[in-house]
Amino acid sequence: MKVTQTCLHTLATTLFVAALFFEATQPSVASTEDRIKKSFPVSAGGKLKMEVDRGSIEVKENERGTLDVEVIRRIERGSTEKAREILKDHEIEFAQEGNEVQIKARLRDSVASFWRRRDWNLNVRYLVFLPRQFNLDLTTSGGSISVGGLEGEVRCRTSGGSISLGRMQGPVWARTSGGNIAVKGCKSAIDVQTSGGNVRLGEVAGSVTARTSGGSISIGNVAGHITATTSGGSIDVAEVLGGIEASTSGGSVRACFGKQPEGGCSLKTSGGNIDVKLANSIALDLDAHTSGGRVITDLPVTVQGELWKTELKGKLNDGGPVLLLRTSGGNVHIRRM
């Protein structure tokens, strides 16, 4: 039995070395490029659904009644023959049903099982032009996603890149495991999450849910409720017009309240300062505490009981919803807006 296993191992090694030698003796090229163009008649309110195994996706607006797609595939190294083989086995399917267009792409297993190990460097880029009033459902396993301003619903996910969106009219849902998320603005709700990057959001007319495990969160003016969570960065909100729940394990928290919050709010950090700005007219029940610094206020607070440098409980303008402020490793500063 041992002899048989040894023979098999030797044969496999010999075949592998022979395959490498054969590839090395083939004529090489700097790069091989392939382009595919498709056009579909569509109308406002349609939907684009993409499920691709690799590559970046860029979506832009056009003024025609069509959805136009250009796929650019490039192989950076290897023989011309092998490059053509890989392009042939990278299957891209286009389909249209009514006002919905679908694009799917995958590499056939027979090729993927051998060449995945070799890192043969197939780069793919999808360029899409469609009407402004359109819905998107985009998925890529290995690239960034970029979308210009649209009026439809946007859902996008990637396992290995950043997500960048323009000024959106409809709701936004975005997920990435390895990049930043940026949205210039939104007139609806935003729900975004990344495991390895920063979150940057502009002005939002709806609610916001933003989570990251490895970066900071920066948010503009938000009319709805904010839920912001990070394990490795700061949280900064330009203006809270609804309510907010923000927590971080590794940075500071800053927020500005320009109007009376509709309900209770909380800002928490385990490793930084909390800095809050409040308009003069805001009425709140203040509950601030720090384990590793001081609580400082520039506003008059009605307090009952003893005063402590690490804690402040009292009422602003006769009281209102609770504003809970907690830090274990910094100061709490309440400022006049």
Side-chain angles (χ1 to χ4, degrees):
M1 185 65 180
K2 291 183 179 180
V3 175
T4 302
Q5 289 179 343
T6 302
C7 292
L8 290 175
H9 177 74
T10 303
L11 177 60
T13 303
T14 302
L15 291 174
F16 175 69
V17 172
L20 294 181
F21 176 78
F22 176 78
E23 180 189 354
T25 59
Q26 300 304 299
S28 298
V29 292
S31 64
T32 300
E33 186 174 282
D34 171 77
R35 291 176 180 257
I36 302 172
K37 293 184 179 182
K38 297 287 185 179
S39 184
F40 303 90
V42 294
S43 58
K47 183 177 181 179
L48 170 64
K49 185 172 183 178
M50 294 183 63
E51 297 179 15
V52 298
D53 65 334
R54 71 197 65 235
S56 63
I57 301 173
E58 301 173 43
V59 180
K60 298 181 181 180
E61 176 189 358
N62 69 15
E63 298 181 355
R64 302 182 296 275
T66 59
L67 186 154
D68 302 316
V69 184
E70 182 176 10
V71 184
I72 304 170
R73 299 184 296 177
R74 180 188 294 270
I75 296 177
E76 299 298 340
R77 65 172 183 268
S79 67
T80 302
E81 180 181 352
K82 183 55 64 177
R84 290 173 180 171
E85 179 184 340
I86 294 170
L87 291 174
K88 179 181 178 181
D89 285 284
H90 183 238
E91 298 177 335
I92 304 178
E93 300 177 2
F94 301 89
Q96 181 173 14
E97 184 175 347
N99 207 23
E100 179 175 323
V101 176
Q102 295 185 3
I103 303 174
K104 296 182 179 181
R106 68 181 183 90
L107 188 71
R108 289 198 302 196
D109 292 340
S110 58
V111 176
S113 60
F114 179 79
W115 288 100
R116 185 183 298 116
R117 172 184 47 76
R118 294 302 320 283
D119 186 24
W120 36 259
N121 209 5
L122 170 62
N123 296 319
V124 186
R125 182 184 179 196
Y126 297 86
L127 302 178
V128 182
F129 299 87
L130 44 70
R132 181 175 179 82
Q133 296 178 334
F134 225 75
N135 303 297
L136 302 178
D137 188 347
L138 312 176
T139 300
T140 176
S141 298
S144 61
I145 297 176
S146 174
V147 180
L150 293 179
E151 295 184 8
E153 177 182 1
V154 175
R155 295 179 63 86
C156 49
R157 60 190 71 80
T158 174
S159 300
S162 61
I163 297 176
S164 178
L165 309 179
R167 299 188 182 279
M168 317 307 294
Q169 302 289 322
V172 170
W173 184 94
R175 297 289 188 272
T176 175
S177 300
N180 301 324
I181 297 178
V183 184
K184 288 186 177 180
C186 183
K187 291 191 175 182
S188 188
I190 290 182
D191 185 341
V192 296
Q193 181 173 327
T194 173
S195 299
N198 301 320
V199 176
R200 298 285 182 269
L201 307 179
E203 185 174 346
V204 182
S207 62
V208 167
T209 299
R211 297 183 177 89
T212 175
S213 300
S216 61
I217 298 175
S218 176
I219 306 174
N221 298 355
V222 179
H225 189 272
I226 300 171
T227 301
T229 306
T230 174
S231 300
S234 62
I235 299 176
D236 194 336
V237 182
E239 187 168 5
V240 180
L241 301 176
I244 183 172
E245 296 177 32
S247 62
T248 174
S249 300
S252 60
V253 180
R254 294 178 293 272
C256 179
F257 293 79
K259 292 184 179 181
Q260 178 68 37
E262 299 174 356
C265 301
S266 68
L267 308 177
K268 300 178 181 179
T269 175
S270 299
N273 299 323
I274 294 178
D275 198 306
V276 178
K277 292 183 179 180
L278 301 173
N280 289 331
S281 60
I282 290 180
L284 292 170
D285 283 354
L286 185 64
D287 184 350
H289 178 82
T290 175
S291 301
R294 296 188 303 160
V295 178
I296 306 166
T297 179
D298 300 338
L299 296 166
V301 179
T302 302
V303 179
Q304 290 184 345
E306 295 185 66
L307 291 175
W308 302 86
K309 69 175 184 178
T310 60
E311 183 176 275
L312 178 61
K313 292 184 178 181
K315 294 182 180 296
L316 288 171
N317 296 318
D318 296 327
V322 174
L323 175 58
L324 183 70
L325 308 175
R326 292 287 188 272
T327 175
S328 301
N331 298 322
V332 177
H333 200 155
I334 303 158
R335 306 175 189 270
R336 191 186 306 275
M337 186 174 173

